[in-house]
Amino acid sequence: IGSGSGRVLEILQRFHPRLLVGVEPSANADELKNRFASDPAVRIIATDGAESIGLKFDAAFIIGVLHHIPQPIPVLRNVYNSLVAGGSLLVWVYGREGRSRWAVRILQAMRVATVRLPDRVVIHLSRICAALIRPYGKIALRLGSLDLPLRDYLGSIYLKCSREKQVEIVFDQLNPRYARYYSAEELREELVSAGFSSIEISVRHNYSLSARATR
């Protein structure tokens, strides 16, 4: 659900599923159709995640998308109804847990302005922010005994990305019109409300939440 650039589809494609469906409501769906046209097992559907596509699946993935949906319950209920009995849902969202709360407050304050700015301006701001985050990350790793905020995430993920990707990561935080930062309990409540059970939630790198739930 929310295939975006197709990165998650590419990862799932490696496991050679019998059928892999990417749901994408934006104009990017046409680009994805062309990109995966050579694989008959991949199907791209240009629709909203809350709309049924009349198929049943063993697994569903909502990676980096749910926190950008203002009304997530209809989407989660549709996913629940689209799974076979015992099917699994994997979700990844921005989190409010751990030591990242100060970063969440800074991002929320910045987004008051950035969501109203042209993309070209936000891209420029993202480059500045990325340039400031890099030295902080290196300092946080050197001073490991202090356990500075976001140290694990910066060391294991962010600093390993190319500079271009680092700018994209910052841009993804500043640009979307809507972004929510979940607590583990809030995420659990939404999954339960949609009908899911056997819910397992973990905090990742003190800045995000991953959840696995079963129909």
Side-chain angles (χ1 to χ4, degrees), residues 21 23 43 45 47-48 51-57 78 82:
V21 174
V23 173
R43 187 184 306 176
I45 299 179
T47 187
D48 188 278
E51 184 176 344
S52 173
I53 58 176
L55 296 170
K56 290 287 186 178
F57 299 91
N78 180 44
S82 299

Side-chain angles (χ1 to χ4, degrees), residues 127-200:
R127 292 194 181 104
I128 295 173
C129 290
L132 294 174
I133 292 171
R134 281 192 291 272
Y136 167 76
K138 293 176 182 178
I139 292 171
L141 291 177
R142 290 197 187 105
L143 304 178
S145 59
L146 296 181
D147 192 21
L148 294 173
L150 295 177
R151 181 198 64 187
D152 293 342
Y153 164 69
L154 294 173
S156 61
I157 297 179
Y158 185 85
L159 292 178
K160 292 182 178 180
C161 297
S162 66
R163 294 198 172 192
E164 180 181 358
K165 183 62 178 177
Q166 290 172 3
V167 173
E168 290 178 1
I169 290 172
V170 177
F171 181 82
D172 283 346
Q173 293 281 345
L174 298 179
N175 184 59
R177 291 290 176 183
Y178 177 85
R180 177 179 177 183
Y181 298 85
Y182 278 85
S183 70
E185 188 55 36
E186 288 169 344
L187 182 57
R188 184 181 302 277
E189 287 176 359
E190 289 193 355
L191 291 170
V192 169
S193 177
F196 287 97
S197 59
S198 302
I199 299 167
E200 301 174 3

Side-chain angles (χ1 to χ4, degrees), residues 3 6 8 11 14 18 22 24 42 62 74 87 90 97 119 123 130 137 165 177 185:
S3 299
V8 174
I11 294 171
R14 300 172 192 170
R18 186 175 64 182
E24 175 56 46
V42 180
I62 309 179
L90 184 66
E97 309 290 341
D119 284 358
I123 290 172
K165 183 62 178 177
R177 291 290 176 183
E185 188 55 36

Side-chain angles (χ1 to χ4, degrees), residues 1 16 86 90 105 110 112 119 123 126 133 135 166 180 206:
I1 306 295
H16 306 291
L90 184 66
R105 293 191 184 100
M110 292 180 67
V112 172
D119 284 358
I123 290 172
S126 299
I133 292 171
Q166 290 172 3
R180 177 179 177 183
N206 282 324

